[in-house]
Amino acid sequence: MRASEMVQKTMRGNRVKKMGLKVRNQMLISAFFPKYKEAVGLDEGIAETERRFQELEYHLPEQRSAKKWGILTKRNVAGTFSRAAAIKKRPLLEVDWQPLLFAELGWLKDETAAVSVLDFGAVPDGVTDATGAFERAMGNGGRSVSIPEGEFLISGLRIPSNTELIGAGTDRTFLKMKEDAPKFRQGIRNRNLFRGNKRIRLEGFTLDWDADRFPKPERSASGGIASSGITLANVKFALVRDVRVLRPGLHGIDVTSAYYSYKGDGTTSRLRSRYVWIDRVETSGFGDDGITTHHSDFIYISHCYAHHPSGRAHADGFSNSNGIEVDDGSRHVVLHNNATEECFGGVEVKAHQTSSAAYDTQIIGHYSKADNRAYNFRHIGHHREGDEFSGTAIGIRATFLVALSPKPTPLYQKSEPRALVVSAYQKVSISYFAVSDDLHSQVLAVQYRASHVVIAHIFYLGKKPRIVLGKETEDVRVSEIKQWS
């Protein structure tokens, strides 16, 4: 059976809205790995990846001269890894810190007062500005704000601590940015960037940031952490669930710090977000990345679908628009049962040259379709001879990955398609990797100072992929590539 035929058969007669993102993604991945859909099989795959991960060494570069740090920047402390996630209790994947988050969300449920945004003057007619009504409904927090069916115009909402915004569903409740809302304004953002906020829950609505209100070729984002659909900056304990984000100028969802640190590898930002769960989110038309993390700890992203970016936050033809990105200074991030389509990178785990790399990332089940680089792990500026070795690009565990037909993209015109790229990262364990392409022989590249990397159980449909190992690699072990049956 051809790869395209198998996917069409799997999805025939089903629609995303009808089955839900969780089931949709699970079906797509389990079409390649049948054991993925059963708890026992999923745990077995995770455990196999973990065994190899624990056996892998890694080395830190020699101690460098003291870094600059201060009120907003600190040293990046690495060296511990989260325990392997597990599916022992259906239907949730267990991660280390979930009980803590559940306790805080339970407090939020029990202690907030239920109100409706309609009681504060909102009119769901798609014409009346409802921003003020939302602000009055939220007050200074301690409110669970119900958003009924209809379309509400907003110019950007600022969410205080101890607040819920609960809609009637992504196909019934719509929040849309006003035509004259400033470009720098996020659709939804926590209220206090530098003091931070706690206990925020967003659920059950579609947010349309509407980047098309700015004419092309004007870029859709104004820089920094501005212009995203939903931004959580310096937030502790948050849940974003059953939300759709359309046409954001920058990111669909950005879990980040209030301030980006670029004082070099080995440093990171203070004012970080922690204990955030992004669940069953769909985002499209994003100017940069669909779902991204920066300088944040303990993030869980599950059952999401990021697809068809606009790339308009970048120059035409140079858009590094990823579906899901674990970026600068992020630590202890778990991705589970997600899907991406038509992006530059499906999943990118990385950092810029002047920041610490994302550290200790787990990927459990991902379906990448027609992304230019299905899986891209790198630390920019720490790849080649003459560059400093990365001291933080360490620790990736990945199990049950599908790369379906990576292809050239107008987003980044000079980028060659790749099923997998590992550069600069150490201690990388990947198990159960399926490459499917009827037309081209795809490439899995381990290169540019990558070390202590093991890839086991590689399968293909269609054209057999090629393994490319760079000269500056160390301790790279790749299993035999087998035809899928």
Side-chain angles (χ1 to χ4, degrees), residues 76-269:
N76 186 61
V77 179
T80 60
F81 301 98
S82 299
R83 69 172 176 85
I87 198 76
K88 294 174 183 177
K89 293 181 180 179
R90 293 291 257 169
L92 291 178
L93 191 79
E94 293 182 353
V95 297
D96 271 348
W97 47 270
Q98 267 178 331
L100 179 60
L101 176 64
F102 291 161
E104 296 293 333
L105 293 176
W107 183 97
L108 187 62
K109 180 179 179 181
D110 294 338
E111 299 297 327
T112 53
V115 299
S116 170
V117 70
L118 298 184
D119 296 335
F120 294 84
V123 181
D125 58 2
V127 176
T128 306
D129 186 351
T131 307
F134 274 96
E135 291 176 351
R136 293 188 293 272
M138 292 184 291
N140 291 320
R143 304 268 182 89
S144 179
V145 181
S146 172
I147 317 170
E149 184 174 349
E151 182 177 306
F152 299 84
L153 281 188
I154 59 172
S155 58
L157 304 181
R158 300 292 177 261
I159 313 299
S161 295
N162 305 320
T163 298
E164 297 180 330
L165 290 184
I166 310 297
T170 57
D171 58 347
R172 298 178 63 192
T173 298
F174 299 87
L175 308 180
K176 186 173 182 179
M177 290 291 275
K178 291 178 58 184
E179 185 78 20
D180 59 353
K183 186 190 294 185
F184 64 82
R185 194 75 54 78
Q186 297 96 340
I188 296 175
R189 195 201 78 192
N190 58 295
R191 185 170 292 179
N192 303 114
L193 294 182
F194 289 92
R195 284 188 295 163
N197 292 104
K198 295 181 179 180
R199 305 187 193 97
I200 291 174
R201 178 184 170 204
L202 308 173
E203 187 167 337
F205 56 83
T206 289
L207 169 64
D208 186 359
W209 195 88
D210 189 14
D212 293 337
R213 57 201 164 97
F214 302 105
K216 297 179 180 179
E218 180 181 347
R219 295 191 188 183
S220 60
S222 59
I225 65 171
S227 311
S228 291
I230 297 175
T231 297
L232 301 176
N234 194 10
V235 171
K236 194 172 183 180
F237 308 118
L239 171 63
V240 181
R241 170 179 282 167
D242 289 324
V243 167
R244 185 167 54 189
V245 182
L246 307 178
R247 301 184 291 175
L250 189 65
H251 306 305
I253 296 181
D254 187 8
V255 182
T256 185
S257 60
Y259 167 81
Y260 284 5
S261 170
Y262 290 113
K263 292 186 179 294
D265 185 27
T267 66
T268 191
S269 294

Side-chain angles (χ1 to χ4, degrees), residues 10 16 49 89 126 188-189 191 273 376 426 428:
T10 300
V16 173
T49 301
K89 293 181 180 179
I188 296 175
R189 195 201 78 192
R191 185 170 292 179
S273 289
N376 198 14
Q426 306 178 62
V428 178

Side-chain angles (χ1 to χ4, degrees), residues 354-373:
T354 54
S355 184
S356 293
Y359 173 86
D360 185 27
T361 304
Q362 296 185 57
I363 308 168
I364 301 163
H366 189 91
Y367 180 82
S368 166
K369 179 182 178 182
D371 298 315
N372 180 256
R373 300 208 162 184

